[in-house]
Amino acid sequence: MSVGEFLKPWIPHLTPYKAGVTLPGLVKLASNENNWGPSPKVVEALKGAAVDVYRYPYKDEEVRSAVAKYAGVSVDNVVLGNGSDELIDLILKAFRGPALSFNPSFSEYRIISQTLGTEFWEVDLLPDFSLPVENFGKIGGKANIIFVATPNNPTGGVVSQKDLVSILKLGKITVVDEAYFEFCGETIVPLIKKHPNLIVLRTLSKAFGLAGLRIGYAVSNPEIIACLMAAKPPFNINYLAAEAALAALADIPYMKKTTGAIIRDRPRLMRGLSECFTAYPSEANFVFADVSPLTAEEAYRFFVGKGFVVRSFGRFPNFGGEYIRVTVGTTDETSGFLKVLDGLRRSRKQRQH
Ligand SMILES: Cc1ncc(COP(=O)(O)O)c(C=O)c1O
């Protein structure tokens, strides 16, 4: 018997998701986590809940209510996911392709589509990494599911409400991924009533500092939510994740304090990166940069040598640069990273003289 006889033929050709690297002892600026950490109330709740982990999770409804209150919608507008990654998977299981997204954007749209055998198309962003809305209708009109991340990962730019509405008007299942919503403040959630084809994705991984617990949510109209609930595995939010989510959502001031610090530090990081490379304006908790003529791998190794792990992307199809992405860490981490950039700038200047 050979495994290949039973395997779906596209599976051996998949490229798995490449996560940001964690190197013990180094400052990680590679996965857009909130390096300020979760609220101390989350840590307390997790300690208290540890003895109860023999129970199956049973607080989904409580968490849905807390999320609904936070997002300003009703409980029947919310479904929870094991990270927003799982919601991308659920959407692609529930709805027929072809699916469409942009290049570059969050790679999971492509990876999950390809894993499920769903046809997947990518449209190049414009050279400044903005959305090519003008000619988008032709190809968008042929897809059934459209994924738009705003702010976009890895580029950091936002898509205007006007552009999102023009995409929504194509009448396809439109997934607006707001993973970084708290760092930009703009949301399309209020439009779920007007546009029955709109699904908004959010996560507690970023602003709320719960990446390790895997909890995200989708906001949409009750009909779509009921379909996603039906397609969802049971107990997808584990017991500790539910407790942590409840504690995090009950401590909004802490989330606002840490995201506020990140938003304040973002322009410093942007300026520092711009002095050495081509950096792009960001409304998220990271800055995207073209490090050419260095390769992204050379830049990655340089920063690792100085104690910082950034995310190396290398090249993107049809774009000329060599790209890295740097998360805005704590204020001290940003100051440390800026010193490294300053050292690089000075040594380059000396070499020019
Ligand atoms: C745009 C975007 N969407 C979704 C996710 C997935 O987040 P999670 O599965 O941790 O909720 C990420 C994570 O980096 C992201 O950048």
Side-chain angles (χ1 to χ4, degrees):
M1 168 278 208
S2 93
V3 174
E5 266 180 74
F6 305 106
L7 204 57
K8 293 172 179 166
W10 58 87
I11 297 290
H13 307 292
L14 297 173
T15 314
Y17 178 74
K18 193 173 159 234
V21 179
T22 305
L23 296 175
L26 271 65
V27 175
K28 185 181 178 196
L29 305 176
S31 296
N32 306 337
E33 294 149 340
N34 181 342
N35 284 4
W36 292 96
S39 155
K41 292 181 182 156
V42 167
V43 178
E44 244 170 73
L46 286 171
K47 283 184 189 157
V51 291
D52 289 326
V53 294
Y54 66 96
R55 285 193 195 284
Y56 281 100
Y58 62 95
K59 294 197 176 175
D60 267 25
E61 288 312 296
E62 234 179 285
V63 180
R64 281 178 85 196
S65 298
V67 164
K69 186 167 166 237
Y70 171 66
V73 295
S74 309
V75 182
D76 60 1
N77 294 121
V78 173
V79 58
L80 305 174
N82 192 261
S84 40
D85 278 347
E86 189 189 34
L87 294 158
I88 298 167
D89 183 77
L90 280 180
I91 291 164
L92 285 160
K93 279 176 177 158
F95 294 99
R96 269 185 293 121
L100 183 151
S101 187
F102 298 88
N103 165 48
S105 189
F106 185 48
S107 59
E108 281 289 82
Y109 310 138
R110 181 186 66 248
I111 293 168
I112 298 174
S113 297
Q114 291 173 342
T115 307
L116 295 172
T118 297
E119 191 171 346
F120 181 79
W121 304 330
E122 256 171 4
V123 172
D124 288 340
L125 293 177
L126 297 174
D128 67 350
F129 296 111
S130 61
L131 216 66
V133 210
E134 228 160 71
N135 298 316
F136 180 70
K138 256 188 250 157
I139 181 149
K142 290 183 189 145
N144 285 328
I145 312 172
I146 301 172
F147 288 95
V148 192
T150 179
N152 187 38
N153 176 14
T155 57
V158 289
V159 181
S160 70
Q161 291 256 336
K162 186 172 150 272
D163 288 350
L164 290 174
V165 168
S166 75
I167 295 174
L168 277 163
K169 283 187 175 160
L170 296 173
K172 308 302 174 151
I173 295 293
T174 304
V175 183
V176 178
D177 188 340
E178 296 187 349
Y180 302 96
F181 153 67
E182 287 85 356
F183 304 101
C184 84
E186 273 175 43
T187 179
I188 196 147
V189 162
L191 295 199
I192 56 162
K193 281 207 177 88
K194 192 163 172 207
H195 297 277
N197 53 332
L198 170 62
I199 306 175
V200 183
L201 297 184
R202 299 246 192 103
T203 180
L204 274 69
S205 295
K206 310 295 179 183
F208 287 94
L210 301 187
L213 287 168
R214 317 301 304 123
I215 179 156
Y217 59 96
V219 182
S220 188
N221 64 74
E223 192 189 349
I224 285 186
I225 294 298
C227 295
L228 298 178
M229 291 287 282
K232 166 183 100 54
F235 312 121
N236 61 332
I237 304 303
N238 74 64
Y239 185 77
L240 294 177
E243 290 291 343
L246 290 170
L249 291 163
D251 193 2
I252 299 297
Y254 178 86
M255 181 277 283
K256 291 224 158 124
K257 195 170 89 183
T258 59
T259 52
I262 289 164
I263 291 166
R264 276 194 302 280
D265 281 328
R266 186 170 58 199
R268 291 204 295 146
L269 179 62
M270 170 74 196
R271 270 196 304 277
L273 282 166
S274 300
E275 281 170 7
C276 295
F277 312 114
T278 306
Y280 293 86
S282 170
E283 302 275 322
N285 66 338
F286 55 82
V287 179
F288 183 62
D290 174 4
V291 296
S292 57
L294 288 182
T295 66
E297 215 39 46
E298 283 166 345
Y300 170 83
R301 281 200 298 271
F302 169 78
F303 289 120
V304 165
K306 302 287 180 189
F308 293 88
V309 188
V310 302
R311 179 69 178 264
S312 160
F313 288 99
R315 290 180 169 272
F316 290 104
N318 308 323
F319 287 89
E322 284 280 339
Y323 299 98
I324 65 164
R325 192 193 63 204
V326 186
T327 304
V328 186
T330 63
T331 299
D332 284 351
E333 288 168 350
T334 302
S335 301
F337 190 76
L338 288 175
K339 271 194 198 139
V340 173
L341 284 173
D342 198 46
L344 178 65
R345 188 182 55 81
R346 280 164 197 266
S347 71
R348 278 179 173 179
K349 217 171 172 182
Q350 267 172 6
R351 258 182 274 139
Q352 280 167 0
H353 288 304

